Amino acid sequence: MKMNDFLLFFDASIPQLEKQNRWATASRVVFKKWKDNPDNLNYLICAGTQLWYTLLVTDYYKNAPTVPENIELPDKFWLQDRLMEVTRYGFEVFENHAAFNAYFGYMIKAMPYFFLNHEDDYVGWQSKGVIMMRRSYDIAPNSPFTKAMCLEQDSSCLGSAYYLACMDI
């Protein structure tokens, strides 16, 4: 796999929407683009990462002492439902793709509660993320990106080996 296989190509409007604090619109744009092209891995990962990041932003502003006047935040449950839809589809269609495993593995490991239903297992989801990060490297062992992802999930490697892998990207 080439490094380009791991680059994300977002809709050109997304950075501007984010600068304008129009998080709900940005999330709808990437989700619709994926829904219109569900078998496009780049659109799936862009939708997943945008929904995930917008959940982070939403969580931050939920408890922030000040919130910008013009911020447009989507409903958290809408975000989580769409994130899970994208994730489930990714598991069904892209389970054996290194980029899907790397990006979604990282997001699941970092914030497993974004992927939980009320009866799900936090530690189980976190472990699933770690397994996916390792799997990305198993699928594409010559990729500096998957090597860095594999090393990132292992706290014993977060020193120089991880740093060197990141420098190769």
Side-chain angles (χ1 to χ4, degrees), residues 48-68:
T49 56
Q50 182 68 44
L51 293 163
W52 181 83
Y53 187 72
T54 303
L55 273 165
L56 287 173
V57 170
T58 302
D59 272 4
Y60 171 78
Y61 282 118
K62 178 177 67 177
N63 298 311
T66 59
V67 178

Side-chain angles (χ1 to χ4, degrees), residues 101 105 124 126-136 138 153:
N101 279 279
Q126 192 173 42
S127 296
K128 183 171 191 62
V130 168
I131 290 166
M132 291 173 72
M133 292 168 74
R134 287 182 188 146
R135 181 158 165 66
S136 72
D138 291 342
Q153 60 75 37

Side-chain angles (χ1 to χ4, degrees), residues 79-97:
L79 284 170
Q80 281 188 292
D81 287 347
R82 297 317 173 279
L83 178 59
M84 284 310 300
E85 182 179 347
V86 169
T87 303
R88 281 191 299 272
Y89 191 84
F91 284 138
E92 292 171 14
V93 177
F94 298 110
E95 177 183 27
N96 295 315
H97 198 286

